[in-house]
Amino acid sequence: VLYDVDGHVGVITLNRPDARNALTFGAYALLEKYVRETEARCLVITGTDPAFCSGDDVKQVMGGGERPPEVIGEGRKPRLTPAADALLSTDVPVVAAVNGAAVGWGMELSLMADFRVASEKAKFGELFVLRGLVSDAPGLGRLAQLVGREKAAELLMTGEVIDAAEALRIGLVGRVVPHDELLPTALGLAQRIAANPPLAVQAINVADGVLGRRI
């Protein structure tokens, strides 16, 4: 996971392209760290092509081995993973620049952002049910807020993968742009937000959470 700063905007990039940016325990820890410790006024999260994030690295995260203490907590399973808690509790606005497949926890990651800008190559899928699992909290709450309860239930219970055009049609993403315009568009939005008085932006973000955006 890479972290760069462009003015007042922090850019977090999932950088395991050969594994379609699948998340390891180390990647989860870095994602949490960068979100909690950022001094940026706005964050952009993206992936190195060809994918945004394909979810968990199955061999490590679901391989049956012993999990690090910071993942499961002190002998108990937390309601949210630490990375999800960091994203859902931050007062820094987050823009997801979805450059390719966002499936499994990759889709959860996009749902935890405040804004979703999608490449024409993006795809979205809540694949948990296909593996006998249930999505993280964002899939159960924020997905329904965006697309409505019935459509959310359909996506969750079928594991269907949808393309960028369908994601835009149902309200899952805010805009779809040509692939080579994705990062400039996301950065442009983030820079516009970051240019405003930061305390006002943070107050709006917190109030938005109180009014029901956050889970």
Side-chain angles (χ1 to χ4, degrees):
V1 181
L2 307 177
Y3 180 74
D4 298 293
V5 177
D6 183 351
H8 291 298
V9 176
V11 181
I12 297 173
T13 305
L14 306 181
N15 189 41
R16 296 183 70 212
D18 292 345
R20 301 184 69 80
N21 301 323
L23 293 162
T24 62
F25 291 127
Y28 273 115
L30 284 173
L31 181 60
E32 179 195 8
K33 169 184 170 66
Y34 293 143
V35 172
R36 292 198 191 279
E37 297 181 1
T38 187
E39 296 182 358
R41 295 182 181 182
C42 193
L43 285 171
V44 172
I45 298 179
T46 192
T48 300
D49 285 343
F52 176 71
C53 176
S54 60
D56 291 340
D57 184 308
V58 176
K59 290 182 180 179
Q60 183 183 114
V61 177
M62 299 177 64
E66 182 178 354
R67 296 191 175 194
E70 67 269 21
V71 174
I72 61 172
E74 297 175 357
R76 62 183 180 84
K77 184 177 180 180
R79 178 171 178 268
L80 292 171
T81 61
D85 179 69
L87 283 158
L88 292 170
S89 62
T90 184
D91 59 6
V92 178
V94 178
V95 179
V98 185
N99 57 302
V103 296
W105 210 86
M107 182 162 174
E108 302 293 285
L109 179 57
S110 73
L111 289 170
M112 285 184 274
D114 300 286
F115 309 92
R116 278 153 297 282
V117 181
S119 157
E120 59 195 351
K121 297 182 179 181
K123 295 183 183 299
F124 299 85
E126 291 277 11
L127 304 184
F128 296 96
V129 70
L130 303 179
R131 300 189 178 110
L133 302 171
V134 178
S135 74
D136 209 336
L140 298 173
R142 302 189 73 176
L143 181 59
Q145 292 173 3
L146 290 167
V147 305
R149 183 197 175 279
E150 185 170 340
K151 189 61 180 180
E154 180 182 331
L155 292 171
L156 288 163
M157 293 182 189
T158 65
E160 178 185 3
V161 176
I162 61 173
D163 62 18
E166 178 67 3
L168 180 63
R169 188 188 72 80
I170 66 176
L172 179 61
V173 302
R175 66 193 79 179
V176 175
V177 299
H179 189 73
D180 59 0
E181 296 178 16
L182 175 65
L183 200 53
T185 301
L187 286 171
L189 174 59
Q191 287 161 354
R192 287 176 60 196
I193 294 168
N196 289 322
L199 294 181
V201 172
Q202 291 169 11
I204 293 169
N205 214 28
V206 171
D208 191 23
V210 171
L211 293 172
R213 180 181 59 78
R214 302 198 190 283
I215 295 168

